[in-house]
Amino acid sequence: MRNYLLKRIVISLFVLIGISFLSFFLGVISPGDPAELVLNQNGLESPSEEQISKMREELGLNKPWWIQYMDWGVKILHGDLGISYVSGRDIAQEVLLRLPVTIELSLLALTIATIVGISLGVYCAIHEGEFVDNLFKIITNIVLSIPSFWLALVFILIFCETLKLLPTSSDGSIKSLILPAWILSISTIATIIRLMRNSLLLEFTKPYYIVAKLRGLNSLKLLFQYALPNAILPIIALLGNYFASILGGSIIVESIFAVPGISFMALQAIGYRDYPLLQAYVLICGIALIVITLIVDILIAYLNPKVKMELKQ
């Protein structure tokens, strides 16, 4: 396990270097002169060549790109993500302000997807071929084909405007995150239901399950102690990837519900061409993806007996 862990960490470090390189080049290859963007934020002024040249020197843009990358990397290692072109504020402080909101939303969506998806998946597997199972097959197909932004608008119309149960935009409370979390999780719930159902049905056909059932082992014990732990391994991998994708892919939901998270911050940065902010966003999402994937891989390696045997060999 120690060797496996070291190998995964080394691979993750190389991936992280690649992500940092891509994040840096996002600002290099983006259209427009960053120095001019800083001096002409409102688009109404016309800075002189002397002002632009002076600003380029202040920003270090007159250096070769590899030196700029090294300087940027050293600053990143010291926790300095740069200064926003638009607000002039420290990006690290801006991220620390917004990241907890996105994490809170992501954890709520992950909890909903886990509880609802696994529960319904187990129920459908137990009642294979019955009316409820067939009904959820149809529902999951429909849900997976509906765009999330359209579903968000429908939910707002029903739960916010008609029933007046939930707020239409974020106000900092958990209640205001319930609807965005459901929108974020609903397609994953459908995927988990199908994957959980199929995974359990596969376990039901395996010799260990059939023999234990013939011996008269308690049905609930057989399900939760034997079949479910084996069937849930692919679900863990799916949920890990899902959590990582929420942290960097909730732009649509955060913008519709005005949730002040990092994805909404990135959307605003795109509109204002605030490249340092976008670089920080890409880097943070990349780090989150690497860390979560590493944790999931280690967890699966620890829980899966086959992987354990391979590691020992």
Side-chain angles (χ1 to χ4, degrees), residues 251-276:
I251 291 178
I252 294 174
V253 170
E254 286 191 9
S255 59
I256 290 175
F257 292 96
V259 178
I262 58 168
S263 294
F264 188 51
M265 176 192 74
L267 186 64
Q268 291 176 319
I270 292 169
Y272 290 112
R273 295 195 292 179
D274 197 346
Y275 299 132

Side-chain angles (χ1 to χ4, degrees), residues 23 63 83 106 119 134 137 144 171 186-188 217 231 237 244 287:
S23 302
K63 300 177 183 177
I83 303 296
S106 302
S119 301
N134 293 327
K137 282 181 185 177
L144 289 170
D171 58 7
I186 198 161
S187 61
T188 305
L217 200 67
I287 292 171

Side-chain angles (χ1 to χ4, degrees), residues 85-104:
Y85 286 168
V86 177
S87 65
R89 289 183 294 186
D90 184 69
I91 293 173
Q93 292 181 359
E94 188 78 12
V95 168
L96 287 174
L97 245 150
R98 292 174 177 263
L99 187 59
V101 180
T102 298
I103 291 175
E104 191 176 14

Side-chain angles (χ1 to χ4, degrees), residues 94-300:
E94 188 78 12
V95 168
L96 287 174
L97 245 150
R98 292 174 177 263
L99 187 59
V101 180
T102 298
I103 291 175
E104 191 176 14
L105 175 63
S106 302
L107 287 173
L108 184 57
L110 181 68
T111 303
I112 293 170
T114 303
I115 295 172
V116 178
I118 292 176
S119 301
L120 292 177
V122 171
Y123 186 86
C124 290
I126 294 171
H127 297 87
E128 181 194 8
E130 295 182 11
F131 172 77
V132 175
D133 181 34
N134 293 327
L135 178 63
F136 273 107
K137 282 181 185 177
I138 298 169
I139 292 173
T140 53
N141 283 330
I142 294 171
V143 167
L144 289 170
S145 63
I146 297 176
S148 59
F149 70 88
W150 186 86
L151 200 60
L153 297 176
V154 172
F155 274 38
I156 288 173
L157 181 64
I158 296 171
F159 296 102
C160 303
E161 300 298 332
T162 305
L163 300 176
K164 307 290 184 182
L165 295 174
L166 297 167
T168 56
S169 58
S170 176
D171 58 7
S173 65
I174 289 290
K175 187 179 179 181
S176 66
L177 293 178
I178 292 174
L179 203 55
W182 269 101
I183 298 299
L184 274 175
S185 63
I186 198 161
S187 61
T188 305
I189 289 172
T191 305
I192 292 173
I193 291 172
R194 299 174 72 168
L195 185 59
M196 187 78 254
R197 175 188 178 274
N198 295 337
S199 189
L200 261 181
L201 289 176
L202 181 62
E203 294 300 319
F204 292 165
T205 62
K206 290 185 177 178
Y208 80 89
Y209 185 89
I210 296 170
V211 171
K213 191 174 181 180
L214 290 172
R215 286 181 176 178
L217 200 67
N218 182 276
S219 298
L220 288 177
K221 185 178 181 181
L222 188 57
L223 174 64
F224 290 104
Q225 191 172 336
Y226 294 95
L228 191 58
N230 291 322
I232 210 167
L233 290 174
I235 307 298
I236 293 173
L238 174 66
L239 288 171
N241 292 327
Y242 167 63
F243 182 62
S245 67
I246 296 177
L247 289 174
S250 57
I251 291 178
I252 294 174
V253 170
E254 286 191 9
S255 59
I256 290 175
F257 292 96
V259 178
I262 58 168
S263 294
F264 188 51
M265 176 192 74
L267 186 64
Q268 291 176 319
I270 292 169
Y272 290 112
R273 295 195 292 179
D274 197 346
Y275 299 132
L277 204 56
L278 281 174
Q279 286 176 322
Y281 172 75
V282 172
L283 185 64
I284 290 166
C285 291
I287 292 171
L289 180 62
I290 289 170
V291 171
I292 293 169
T293 303
L294 180 61
I295 292 170
V296 170
D297 286 348
I298 293 169
L299 185 61
I300 290 175

Side-chain angles (χ1 to χ4, degrees), residues 7-17 290-291 294:
K7 182 180 177 182
R8 293 293 292 116
I9 290 173
V10 170
I11 293 171
S12 298
L13 287 174
F14 278 107
V15 174
L16 182 58
I17 292 170
I290 289 170
V291 171
L294 180 61

Side-chain angles (χ1 to χ4, degrees), residues 31-42:
D33 189 339
E36 190 173 351
L37 290 173
V38 174
L39 293 169
N40 188 22
Q41 292 177 11
N42 56 16

Side-chain angles (χ1 to χ4, degrees), residues 67-80:
I67 296 178
Q68 291 183 47
Y69 174 69
M70 295 297 293
D71 291 342
W72 180 76
V74 170
K75 287 180 180 179
I76 294 295
L77 292 175
H78 286 86
D80 182 4

